[in-house]
Amino acid sequence: MDKNVKKLKHKIYGDSVISWVFAFDSFINALTRFLSYANNGHSEKTLREAGFCTLAFIVLTLIGFILHEVKTSSRPFTKKLVWEMRILGVTLAAGAFLPDLLCLIMGLINNNTSEVTLFSADSGAGIIFICGIVTEIFSEIFVYGNQLQDDNDLIA
């Protein structure tokens, strides 16, 4: 195995471990905030934080799977990787609404009449949504890379 490839695999392994550690931390934080919301009054801020932690857990888990796929396949442009990138983009774009949606649903369940907007400017949802769209665009670049890699494999 080429020295540079081996070095890259070690870096990807390190990145995937970091991703899994942060995913676990996000899961614990989400669980803690959901329990805090349930036990210590119904704070909209706590529920919103729980939504963001849940989104972070899902996204970091997907990133861990993506890095694992790159490490095991030794090919950056596989169909599975393209599929995982698309799921990541959709998750980010749709997940941008998760904290506000949680507040809206819990407000309706608790008969709370506070106004909650889906996509409030101060929640950071816009930035997360844009990151999702950008990830979707990159996944299309990976589709093209996959096609080029398949063509290259046929030639070689």
Side-chain angles (χ1 to χ4, degrees):
M1 184 184 315
D2 186 16
K3 184 178 178 182
N4 290 332
V5 172
K6 195 171 185 179
K7 197 176 194 182
L8 182 63
K9 281 192 172 200
H10 285 299
K11 287 180 182 179
I12 291 173
Y13 177 75
D15 291 342
S16 65
V17 168
I18 290 170
S19 176
W20 291 113
V21 167
F22 281 120
F24 180 74
D25 180 60
S26 297
F27 175 75
I28 298 299
N29 278 316
L31 189 61
T32 303
R33 282 172 173 72
F34 278 123
L35 290 174
S36 175
Y37 176 81
N39 296 330
N40 301 332
H42 301 299
S43 166
E44 187 177 304
K45 180 181 181 244
T46 304
L47 188 59
R48 199 175 296 277
E49 288 171 354
F52 280 121
C53 288
T54 303
L55 178 62
F57 166 69
I58 294 168
V59 167
L60 289 168
T61 301
L62 287 171
I63 289 172
F65 283 126
I66 289 170
L67 291 171
H68 178 73
E69 173 65 22
V70 170
K71 181 182 174 287
T72 57
S73 71
S74 298
R75 295 176 59 173
F77 300 110
T78 63
K79 288 182 181 180
K80 185 176 179 184
L81 184 62
V82 169
W83 183 75
E84 289 173 345
M85 288 284 291
R86 285 182 171 166
I87 290 174
L88 179 63
V90 169
T91 301
L92 278 168
F97 300 103
L98 180 65
D100 293 331
L101 189 62
L102 281 173
C103 289
L104 181 67
I105 291 170
M106 292 310 293
L108 292 172
I109 290 172
N110 296 326
N111 292 326
N112 188 351
T113 58
S114 66
E115 290 184 26
V116 177
T117 58
L118 289 177
F119 217 61
S120 59
D122 61 338
S123 70
I127 294 171
I128 296 171
F129 182 78
I130 291 169
C131 287
I133 298 300
V134 168
T135 304
E136 279 296 314
I137 292 168
F138 280 128
S139 76
E140 290 303 316
I141 294 170
F142 273 68
V143 169
Y144 182 66
N146 183 10
Q147 291 170 349
L148 289 177
Q149 188 168 358
D150 287 345
D151 290 345
N152 189 29
D153 290 346
L154 290 174
I155 293 171

